[in-house]
């Protein structure tokens, strides 16, 4: 669509053309599959619908964020955070350190390419939101990251073990991740800790070896 | 999860339990299929990933909304607007008047049931957002509805005709829908009108009979 329009200056509608090119590129996130399934176990979840679920969680659970948290920025971060997977793919949360390091390099290269499709001021703003999410320094990023950790735990509980059982993950490994949820929200952290205990009690998650 | 917790008052974590029940119910939106495909035509699009795409569009295209539009409310509306399809299913935009009337009744019943899963004050707030989107009286609702109309047009253009060709839709029918886009955003309306002309020129959309 872009090339064709550039040939006709009468039709030049910047910044709209660049924005639509970005939004058309973004469609590919619907084809990136995560390890998690849907809660009805009918198929694997993709990263676009996962991002929608997180944005809905931000809306519904905003009362559990620290006072003064800007939920609009949380929502923007969760809507954007997985776009890099269009190039880099999704990596399982419990992958090894080497795979994690490779993934980080690939995601940064993807962020360089994908956000640059937008008009320059918007590209910079979106990239800053993505960096903020990755760096986890603000209360908005901490809350967004807490939601991103909590959602697959809910899926695993609802599906009777899900990726925990499929990949032999043990309770101590999951508990390490709860620190990140607690860092974003005290009540969600407490809920997650309780969910892990119930998951172990019900055989959905193996106890620490 | 809810029943089990209610049995143990020490574990009562309202409103969080109700909120999570709602978010678990919401997962089903990922299984509601639309008529549209993904832009790569690999499969039909579901309503959850469609809602994510609209929220991303709200973020990217907010500069094309009328001055003073509250984009946070637009985003909330598009994240919520299709949840009623969990009970009512998705109806094709160009379905007949009788089917549309039946759909409206089913969607209102669904809204009554689904939003009531939330704690009462939040249930009322979410239902009000859904009603606002449906009634299309505010600039936020008008912009949200414009995005909801524009997205499938982009898909149809990118896929060389999509549901327009599959269902024998003609340009005059699509142009009637453009009024709704123009009502939400002058530049997006202009873009949509141009997209229709290009679609007819390229054989993606049949001219008016």
């Amino acid at each position: 669509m872009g090339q064709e329009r550039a040939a006709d200056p009468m039709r030049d509608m910047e910044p709209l053309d660049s924005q639509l090119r970005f939004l058309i590129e973004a469609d590919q996130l619907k084809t990136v599959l995560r390890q998690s399934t849907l809660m009805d176990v009918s198929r694997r979840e993709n990263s676009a619908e996962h991002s929608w679920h997180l944005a809905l969680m931000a809306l519904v659970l905003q009362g559990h964020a620290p006072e003064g948290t800007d939920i609009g920025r949380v929502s923007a971060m969760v809507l954007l955070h997985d776009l890099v997977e269009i190039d880099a793919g999704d990596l399982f949360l419990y992958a090894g350190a080497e795979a994690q390091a490779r993934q980080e390099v690939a995601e940064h290269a993807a962020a360089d390419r994908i956000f640059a499709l937008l008009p320059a001021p918007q590209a910079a703003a979106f990239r800053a939101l993505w960096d903020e999410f990755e760096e986890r320094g603000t209360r908005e990023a901490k809350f967004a990251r807490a939601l991103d950790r909590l959602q697959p735990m809910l899926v695993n509980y609802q599906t009777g073990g899900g990726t925990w059982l499929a990949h032999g993950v043990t309770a101590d490994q999951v508990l390490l991740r709860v620190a990140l949820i607690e860092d974003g929200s005290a009540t969600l952290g407490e809920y997650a800790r309780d969910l892990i205990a119930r998951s172990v009690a019900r055989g959905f998650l193996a106890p620490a070896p």
Side-chain angles (χ1 to χ4, degrees), chain A:
Chain A
M1 196 149 43
Q3 295 82 331
E4 163 189 350
R5 303 201 128 224
D8 182 354
M10 290 298 290
R11 279 180 156 177
D12 184 37
M13 283 184 80
E14 286 297 346
L16 185 51
D17 273 336
S18 301
Q19 291 167 327
L20 290 171
R21 266 195 299 279
F22 171 84
L23 289 167
I24 288 162
E25 186 81 9
D27 200 72
Q28 295 173 59
L29 193 61
K30 300 168 187 170
T31 68
V32 176
L33 295 183
R34 294 165 50 81
Q35 290 294 324
S36 297
T37 64
L38 303 192
M39 290 188 185
D40 70 1
V41 208
S42 58
R43 61 168 173 79
R44 281 168 68 187
E45 187 185 36
N46 72 61
S47 292
E49 61 198 4
H50 164 72
S51 299
W52 165 78
H53 214 168
L54 295 187
L56 192 65
M57 287 173 76
L59 213 58
V60 171
L61 301 177
Q62 58 184 286
H64 305 282
E67 182 114 9
T69 301
D70 177 348
I71 287 297
R73 218 160 81 236
V74 173
S75 178
M77 274 185 235
V78 298
L79 290 168
L80 293 176
H81 81 292
D82 271 344
L83 284 170
V84 293
E85 295 180 357
I86 288 172
D87 293 350
D90 179 62
L91 185 73
F92 185 49
L93 178 58
Y94 297 97
E98 208 179 311
Q100 302 271 12
R102 271 200 310 274
Q103 182 72 7
E104 201 180 316
V105 172
E107 290 190 352
H108 276 79
D112 290 345
R113 183 187 76 79
I114 294 167
F115 295 123
L117 295 170
L118 288 165
Q122 205 161 31
F126 278 42
R127 176 56 188 260
L129 278 169
W130 186 80
D131 287 335
E132 183 179 341
F133 179 87
E134 290 297 308
E135 288 158 12
R136 215 167 54 82
T138 63
R139 63 191 158 195
E140 283 77 15
K142 287 176 184 179
F143 190 65
R145 292 289 289 272
L147 300 176
D148 193 34
R149 281 291 165 273
L150 180 60
Q151 194 263 1
M153 290 180 54
L154 293 175
V155 175
N156 282 345
Y157 188 80
Q158 290 301 118
T159 59
T163 57
W164 290 333
L165 290 185
H167 294 269
V169 177
T170 50
D172 52 313
Q173 293 178 284
V174 183
L175 280 166
L176 280 176
R177 267 69 188 190
V178 169
L180 197 140
I181 300 179
E182 278 166 343
D183 199 32
S185 164
T187 48
L188 296 185
E190 187 191 343
Y191 184 88
R193 203 167 279 281
D194 183 57
L195 191 78
I196 293 169
R198 284 185 289 138
S199 298
V200 171
R202 299 183 70 172
F204 299 167
L205 174 63

